[in-house]
Amino acid sequence: MAKKKKSAGSNVAAENRKARYNYEILDSLEAGLVLTGTEVKSLREGRASIAESYASEEGGELWLINSNLPEYLQANRFNHVPKRRRKILVHRTQLNRLASAVQKDGMTLVPLRIYFNDRGVAKLQLALAKGKNAPDKRQTMKERDWNRQKQRILKEA
């Protein structure tokens, strides 16, 4: 029998919903994460938080900083540290491109979501983003409200 594919939304472990509001997303890429066994189990429970996290290039490697993967309760004494730095796996050319954009253009590396791909491997969707100022955020809210009103009007008609 063939395996059924899961829908893309069902395997999301953590999502940074405020990223699209606070930042203008210019480019995104999929990257791997170096995780321990208890971190993967904690991710599968879906209690992780990447809302205030960011990525940084240090020593020729890319790191996910300030992400919170709570302890896996059944792991007992073999648990992980919830807020430790986690290594992000990217190709050298991608790392150089991202690091130069952050250095030269003042961009930020923002994690958008952590999810499990079709093979069950934890992946990180990382975005190269530029911070929005207050007028840009207000414009985003106006567009979102207008789109909601449009959908209501179309639904009624």
Side-chain angles (χ1 to χ4, degrees):
M1 288 188 120
K3 288 185 179 179
K4 289 185 180 179
K5 278 193 173 181
K6 292 182 180 178
S7 64
S10 67
N11 54 7
V12 174
E15 191 168 13
N16 189 353
R17 296 181 59 160
K18 284 197 164 193
R20 296 188 191 281
Y21 176 73
N22 290 329
Y23 298 96
E24 178 184 347
I25 307 298
L26 302 174
D27 189 22
S28 68
L29 68 119
E30 180 183 71
L33 277 172
V34 176
L35 300 172
T36 63
T38 56
E39 288 175 331
V40 174
K41 290 181 179 189
S42 179
L43 267 178
R44 289 200 188 275
E45 287 182 345
R47 297 184 305 137
S49 171
I50 56 170
E52 296 178 359
S53 62
Y54 62 96
S56 175
E57 188 267 332
E58 296 169 10
E61 296 176 337
L62 203 56
W63 296 91
L64 181 63
I65 300 169
N66 206 22
S67 62
N68 185 20
L69 274 65
E71 290 184 343
Y72 182 64
L73 297 177
Q74 288 82 3
N76 203 352
R77 65 179 182 207
F78 302 107
N79 243 322
H80 61 276
V81 179
K83 284 213 168 211
R84 77 174 181 90
R85 295 166 14 134
R86 291 164 180 89
K87 190 173 179 181
I88 301 173
L89 303 172
V90 292
H91 291 286
R92 177 68 53 197
T93 54
Q94 290 174 331
L95 176 64
N96 292 338
R97 183 177 58 87
L98 294 172
S100 67
V102 168
Q103 194 90 32
K104 292 178 188 172
D105 304 330
M107 306 279 182
T108 306
L109 292 173
V110 181
L112 297 177
R113 63 188 182 126
I114 298 176
Y115 61 95
F116 291 97
N117 67 3
D118 295 336
R119 293 175 37 210
V121 178
K123 295 289 182 177
L124 172 72
Q125 185 178 7
L126 192 64
L128 188 61
K130 190 174 190 177
K132 286 185 185 178
N133 53 19
D136 293 338
K137 290 179 185 179
R138 284 194 296 268
Q139 184 63 33
T140 302
M141 286 185 354
K142 285 179 188 176
E143 289 173 9
R144 190 180 321 134
D145 289 341
W146 171 239
N147 286 334
R148 277 192 207 126
Q149 288 177 3
K150 260 196 313 191
Q151 289 299 323
R152 279 191 208 116
I153 292 168
L154 290 173
K155 203 176 208 182
E156 289 173 2

